Amino acid sequence: MIRFKAGVDDVIEKGSKKVFRIVASTSDVDRDGEVILPTAWTKSLPRYLKNNPVVLWGHDQNIPPVGKAVGGEITSKSLNLDIVFADTDLGKELEKLYEEDFLTSFSVGFQPKKWTKQNGTRVWTEADLLEVSCVSIPANEGARVIRDAKDFLMPVVHAKGLLLGDSDPDEYMKAVERAIREAKQREALYEEIEELEKELKELDVLERRIRMENRVTPGCLIVND
């Protein structure tokens, strides 16, 4: 695990802001059919936190940020961030929406650098983190708020240094391959469920038709020989 913090400490020390701990990205196969390894952020996360830790709404760069990241960590499964919302109308609105679970998801905006192919799936091994956005529907289903971190912020060190070294790259690739296999199995299962649902609908229509054909007309006498 690798941990970092932003250059500004007063938000955390003074407790003047509610801090949300979020999963910004995971090693799961996303809706675009791609994987971003957590280690892909190793080089850019310190720069992002130190220079421009912006949190946007819907990747919209034409409006002011709605928040900022104040800390982050890279684990074997995900990129996690601690964020605070801005004291603006939109920032306050989004904070309330996340507090009340009307919004739960996030998405990363990045510049791709290096990638490889694993079982036909593109796997990003290096990327520049440019921003993190509040979104209604994420590309990565696992990118979401995980808990309120106000009173138990992740341990952090200054962005210039690393707390722990990288894990074994082979283990990461094995984990990615497992995630890809599991995703394909889930996809096959979903397709099977869809087929079953179609058959159920067809059976329901057939049953209704039979009932209509066998419906007894008032005043008619049915005699069984």
Side-chain angles (χ1 to χ4, degrees):
M1 184 185 297
I2 309 167
R3 298 187 178 106
F4 306 91
K5 76 172 181 180
V8 180
D9 298 329
D10 58 339
V11 170
I12 298 173
E13 292 174 357
K14 295 179 181 178
S16 59
K17 290 285 187 181
K18 181 171 184 178
V19 181
F20 291 79
R21 179 170 295 181
I22 71 168
V23 176
S25 176
T26 75
S27 58
D28 296 328
V29 180
D30 61 28
R31 289 189 173 98
D32 297 323
E34 298 180 337
V35 170
I36 307 177
L37 290 181
T39 47
W41 310 111
T42 302
K43 292 181 180 179
S44 63
L45 179 58
R47 293 197 301 269
Y48 165 75
L49 289 171
K50 184 178 180 180
N51 299 329
N52 194 36
V54 293
V55 176
L56 305 181
W57 166 240
H59 301 292
D60 191 346
Q61 302 175 32
N62 297 315
I63 62 174
V66 299
K68 67 178 179 180
V70 295
E73 68 177 359
I74 298 169
T75 73
S76 61
K77 295 182 179 180
S78 62
L79 164 65
N80 302 334
L81 296 174
D82 281 339
I83 69 167
V84 295
F85 286 97
D87 192 21
T88 61
D89 288 343
L90 183 53
K92 291 176 182 176
E93 180 182 4
L94 289 171
E95 182 175 16
K96 186 172 181 62
L97 289 172
Y98 278 100
E99 284 177 343
E100 298 181 358
D101 291 331
F102 288 102
L103 284 174
T104 60
S105 300
F106 291 86
S107 178
V108 288
F110 65 98
Q111 182 176 11
K113 289 292 186 179
K114 297 179 181 178
W115 61 277
T116 185
K117 281 276 188 179
Q118 292 289 328
N119 296 330
T121 298
R122 187 190 299 272
V123 178
W124 295 105
T125 58
E126 185 178 342
D128 281 348
L129 181 62
L130 303 179
E131 51 91 4
V132 176
S133 280
C134 306
V135 295
S136 300
I137 301 175
N140 187 321
E141 295 182 57
R144 53 190 295 122
V145 173
I146 50 179
R147 67 175 181 254
D148 175 7
K150 180 179 180 181
D151 297 321
F152 36 89
L153 284 169
M154 61 183 74
V156 290
V157 294
H158 195 271
K160 290 182 180 179
L162 304 182
L163 183 64
L164 296 173
D166 295 344
S167 297
D168 185 353
D170 290 338
E171 291 301 317
Y172 276 117
M173 296 311 297
K174 289 178 182 177
V176 170
E177 290 174 357
R178 285 196 300 271
I180 292 170
R181 287 196 301 270
E182 290 171 0
K184 289 182 176 179
Q185 289 171 356
R186 288 196 299 271
E187 184 178 354
L189 179 60
Y190 293 152
E191 290 176 355
E192 184 176 347
I193 290 173
E194 287 180 358
E195 288 298 321
L196 288 172
E197 287 176 343
K198 288 179 182 177
E199 290 181 14
L200 285 173
K201 288 180 181 179
E202 291 173 358
L203 287 172
D204 183 58
V205 171
L206 179 60
E207 183 182 6
R208 290 172 183 238
R209 186 179 302 162
I210 293 172
R211 286 180 180 177
M212 290 293 292
E213 291 175 352
N214 293 338
R215 186 173 60 183
V216 177
T217 304
C220 290
L221 177 62
I222 304 297
V223 178
N224 293 322
D225 294 332

